[in-house]
C-alpha cells in the first residue's frame, strides 16, 4: 500500500471538528485562513498519498473558503504548485489581479507563493464538495517558471487529451492505492510529473526544451537517491529502472554534473554517516 496520511473530522466531537480541520490543513498544506458556514458540525475527510516528492490528495468537505495571505506566505512557503481537480461542486479562485470559476473536471493550477482566496461551493443540492489533486515542488517541472506562471488560475480541461489522461491517472491511483507498494510511489510520481509537464506544454503550445527536461530529470533522480540511501540495493541500475531510462543514459545525464552518479551516491551516504567523503 502507498504511504498515506488521512484525517476524518467525524472521529472527533462535533464541537471540535472545524478546529481540527483548520489545523490539519495548515500542517499538511500551508498556513491558511479557513472559514465555513458549516463550522458547527464540519464533517470532512482528506487523504494524502506519497508519490516520491509529489503528493496526491483527495478531499471531501462542506462548503468553505481558504485564504492564503502575503503574511502567511512570509511565515511559511514550501514553494509548491497546487493542482486541483474538482469532481463534485464548484470552485472560485481570486487573486489580486484575477478571478475565475471552475466546474467539475476542470484542472486548476495555483502557487503557494501567490496570495489567493479559494471558495469551494456545492451545487445541485449536494451536501459536500469532492476533489483530488497534487502538491508538486516547483523545481520538478521541466518548464521555465515564467512560462508556467501564465497557466496559474487558467482553466485546463480534464475532459479531453492529456488532461483526461492526467485526471484518470489521479483518480485511479487514489481509488486503488492499496494495489501498490510504498516503493511504487516515486515511480508513480515520475509518471505524474511527465503527464503534468505534457499538459502544460500542450497548453503553452510549446515543446519542453531538452535542457530543462534534463535538469528536471537530474533533480528527480537526486531526490530519489536521497529517499533511498539506506537501501543496500541502491545502484545506478536500480535508479535507472525506477526512472524508466537505461543505465547508459543515466551516466550521460551526470556527465555535465560535478560528480558521476556513483560518486554522488557515495558522497550522499558519507554525508549521512558524517564521515569524510572521498
Amino acid at each position: 500500500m502507498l504511504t498515506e496520511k488521512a484525517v476524518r473530522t467525524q472521529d472527533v466531537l462535533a464541537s471540535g471538528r472545524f478546529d481540527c480541520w483548520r489545523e490539519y490543513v495548515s500542517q499538511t498544506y500551508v498556513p491558511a485562513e479557513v472559514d465555513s458556514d458549516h463550522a458547527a458540525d464540519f464533517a470532512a475527510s482528506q487523504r494524502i498519498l506519497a508519490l516520491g516528492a509529489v503528493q496526491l490528495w483527495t478531499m471531501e468537505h462542506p462548503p468553505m473558503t481558504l485564504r492564503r495571505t502575503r503574511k502567511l506566505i512570509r511565515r511559511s512557503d514550501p514553494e509548491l504548485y497546487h493542482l486541483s481537480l474538482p469532481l463534485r461542486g464548484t470552485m472560485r479562485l481570486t487573486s489580486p489581479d484575477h478571478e475565475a470559476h471552475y466546474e467539475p473536471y476542470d484542472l486548476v493550477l495555483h502557487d503557494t507563493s501567490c496570495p489567493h482566496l479559494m471558495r469551494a461551493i456545492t451545487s445541485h443540492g449536494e451536501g459536500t464538495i469532492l476533489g483530488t489533486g497534487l502538491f508538486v515542488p516547483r523545481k520538478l517541472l521541466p518548464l521555465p517558471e515564467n512560462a508556467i506562471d501564465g497557466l496559474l488560475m487558467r482553466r485546463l480541461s480534464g475532459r479531453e487529451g492529456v488532461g483526461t489522461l492526467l485526471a484518470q491517472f489521479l483518480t485511479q491511483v487514489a481509488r486503488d492505492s492499496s494495489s501498490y507498494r510504498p516503493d511504487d510511489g516515486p515511480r508513480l510520481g515520475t509518471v505524474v510529473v511527465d503527464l503534468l509537464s505534457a499538459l502544460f506544454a500542450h497548453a503553452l503550445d510549446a515543446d519542453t526544451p531538452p535542457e530543462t527536461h534534463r535538469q528536471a530529470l537530474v533533480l528527480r533522480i537526486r531526490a530519489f537517491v536521497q529517499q533511498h540511501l539506506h537501501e543496500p540495493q541502491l545502484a545506478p541500475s536500480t535508479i535507472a529502472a525506477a526512472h524508466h531510462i537505461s543505465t547508459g543514459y543515466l551516466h550521460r545525464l551526470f556527465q555535465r554534473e560535478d560528480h558521476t552518479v556513483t560518486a554522488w551516491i557515495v558522497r550522499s551516504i558519507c554525508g549521512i554517516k558524517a564521515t569524510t567523503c572521498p
Side-chain angles (χ1 to χ4, degrees):
M1 183 174 180
L2 293 172
T3 303
E4 176 177 327
K5 293 186 292 187
V7 67
R8 293 177 71 255
T9 62
Q10 294 93 322
D11 295 335
V12 302
L13 294 174
S15 59
R17 289 176 179 174
F18 191 61
D19 287 340
C20 172
W21 181 254
R22 285 195 294 195
E23 182 178 355
Y24 182 79
V25 168
S26 290
Q27 289 179 349
T28 59
Y29 175 39
V30 288
E33 298 172 356
V34 184
D35 294 297
S36 174
D37 293 335
H38 301 263
D41 185 5
F42 198 82
S45 62
Q46 184 183 53
R47 298 165 61 217
I48 297 180
L49 302 173
L51 308 181
V54 177
Q55 293 182 307
L56 168 61
W57 58 265
T58 61
M59 185 185 298
E60 184 172 8
H61 55 83
M64 71 173 190
T65 63
L66 184 150
R67 187 187 303 273
R68 178 85 168 137
T69 65
R70 296 188 188 278
K71 181 178 179 180
L72 291 173
I73 292 168
R74 288 193 296 270
R75 181 194 304 176
S76 174
D77 183 17
E79 298 186 350
L80 299 172
Y81 286 123
H82 182 184
L83 185 80
S84 298
L85 174 66
L87 301 173
R88 183 175 67 233
T90 61
M91 184 170 71
R92 292 177 184 169
L93 266 179
T94 305
S95 71
D97 56 2
H98 192 71
E99 183 171 357
H101 177 86
Y102 309 95
E103 299 288 341
Y105 287 90
D106 287 335
L107 289 158
V108 188
L109 182 71
H110 47 104
D111 188 334
T112 61
S113 301
C114 300
H116 59 269
L117 172 67
M118 183 275 291
R119 297 180 178 88
I121 307 162
T122 52
S123 57
H124 310 299
E126 297 165 337
T128 58
I129 292 96
L130 177 66
T132 189
L134 298 166
F135 301 138
V136 183
R138 291 207 303 255
K139 65 183 181 181
L140 287 188
L141 292 177
L143 285 168
E145 287 190 14
N146 60 352
I148 297 178
D149 286 347
L151 300 176
L152 295 176
M153 297 181 63
R154 176 174 159 184
R155 184 183 296 143
L156 302 171
S157 177
R159 308 176 195 87
E160 61 185 12
V162 181
T164 296
L165 293 176
L166 178 59
Q168 291 176 344
F169 184 84
L170 298 183
T171 54
Q172 181 175 341
V173 171
R175 182 175 59 248
D176 300 333
S177 61
S178 61
S179 302
Y180 305 99
R181 301 190 306 269
D183 55 0
D184 289 323
R187 289 186 282 268
L188 294 172
T190 298
V191 175
V192 165
V193 170
D194 288 343
L195 285 173
L196 194 57
S197 300
L199 174 66
F200 290 170
H202 175 79
L204 294 167
D205 194 25
D207 294 329
T208 302
E211 177 58 20
T212 55
H213 178 77
R214 189 197 71 83
Q215 292 171 350
L217 183 54
V218 169
L219 286 172
R220 292 205 299 272
I221 290 169
R222 289 181 183 274
F224 176 85
V225 170
Q226 292 291 338
Q227 292 164 4
H228 295 80
L229 282 176
H230 295 289
E231 298 179 7
Q233 68 271 28
L234 184 67
S237 58
T238 56
I239 296 169
H243 292 83
H244 311 290
I245 59 177
S246 69
T247 304
Y249 183 62
L250 174 66
H251 287 299
R252 289 197 297 275
L253 282 173
F254 276 76
Q255 284 178 352
R256 296 168 65 180
E257 303 299 308
D258 293 335
H259 304 283
T260 66
V261 64
T262 302
W264 191 74
I265 293 171
V266 171
R267 290 179 65 86
S268 299
I269 293 173
C270 287
I272 284 184
K273 293 181 177 179
T275 61
T276 302
C277 295

